[in-house]
Amino acid sequence: MTDSPDEQRPEPVATPEPAEPAQPIPATTPSGGRRWNRTVSAMVTAGLALALGFGLVVQIRSTGEAEITGATEEDLVRILDELDTREEQLRSQLAEREQAVEELSGTRNQSGSALAEAQRRAETIGILNGTLPARGPGLRLVVEDPDGAVTPAVLLDAIQELRGAGAEAIEIDGVRVVVSSYVGGTPGELTVDGRALSAPYEVLAIGPPTDLEVALNVSGGVVADVARTGGTASVTQSDELSIDSLVRGR
């Protein structure tokens, strides 16, 4: 039996093409070692605030779609109470994050201040011990001794007067003077820490210039003692002096 030409043949069924495999989403690499600072604190705070607002909007919209339609007045009151509770929880979390960021920033600032103070103390100790150079305002004392009559006691008095007036660093003829230093020799042949000096003796002292000069010029002080030996002592204040001699291992 042959088919009638009027009969329609069934159209072939289209075979669905296979879906392309989903492309993997590349993993992001976290940035390394970001420092907490005020910029990061602002970004964290803004992000939490954005999350709070977004959470509230989603909560309201989802609740509205699921529960508000056909809800009774009691249901609406309950929904509002739940939203208020959720808002308070989110605000509390935001406040906790802000406090944590502030505490972390404060801890870093305290650590930086402690480190700066420790470095300052180490520098001060190094200057007093003569292991570091010193620079700053001070004065220059030049002792002329034409007769070779200046005694070790006069030079020792000068060192003590300068220390008492606030000298942080002292140098005599290129020899750094520290707490353990000693003056020896005889008139005309003075020594400091065993190193020979030669007149005129130059004394450099870093400290408050006016106070140092007053200490040397007091009645019966160093300037007067030098004059009694037949020598002269001249004092010159300076806004900037450098003492570069250092104490080596003995």
Side-chain angles (χ1 to χ4, degrees), residues 190-237:
L190 303 181
T191 64
V192 173
D193 293 339
R195 296 177 59 179
L197 308 178
S198 59
Y201 309 115
E202 182 185 56
V203 181
L204 301 180
I206 292 179
T210 301
D211 294 346
L212 298 179
E213 183 172 2
V214 169
L216 295 176
N217 282 289
V218 295
S219 178
V222 173
V223 173
D225 288 342
V226 172
R228 279 194 293 269
T229 65
T232 59
S234 59
V235 179
T236 305
Q237 295 188 21

Side-chain angles (χ1 to χ4, degrees), residues 27-109:
T28 58
T29 303
S31 59
R34 295 184 178 176
R35 296 181 56 192
W36 284 96
N37 49 34
R38 295 198 174 274
T39 302
V40 175
S41 174
M43 293 175 62
V44 172
T45 302
L48 289 173
L50 181 61
L52 171 62
F54 178 76
L56 289 176
V57 171
V58 172
Q59 181 73 17
I60 291 172
R61 293 191 63 178
S62 62
T63 303
E65 294 175 358
E67 300 184 21
I68 292 180
T69 303
T72 65
E73 181 177 354
E74 293 181 356
D75 293 333
L76 293 176
V77 172
R78 176 180 56 79
I79 293 171
L80 290 176
D81 288 341
E82 291 176 353
L83 289 176
D84 289 341
T85 301
R86 179 57 178 166
E87 179 181 0
E88 289 299 325
Q89 292 175 348
L90 291 174
R91 291 187 182 277
S92 177
Q93 293 176 4
L94 177 61
E96 291 176 358
R97 299 301 188 278
E98 290 177 342
Q99 182 178 0
V101 170
E102 289 296 329
E103 290 178 354
L104 187 59
S105 299
T107 300
R108 290 180 177 274
N109 290 337

Side-chain angles (χ1 to χ4, degrees), residues 131-156:
T131 58
L132 290 177
R135 289 173 177 78
L139 60 73
R140 175 181 284 101
L141 168 67
V142 178
V143 178
E144 299 280 355
D145 185 20
D147 300 329
V150 174
T151 64
V154 173
L155 202 57
L156 181 60

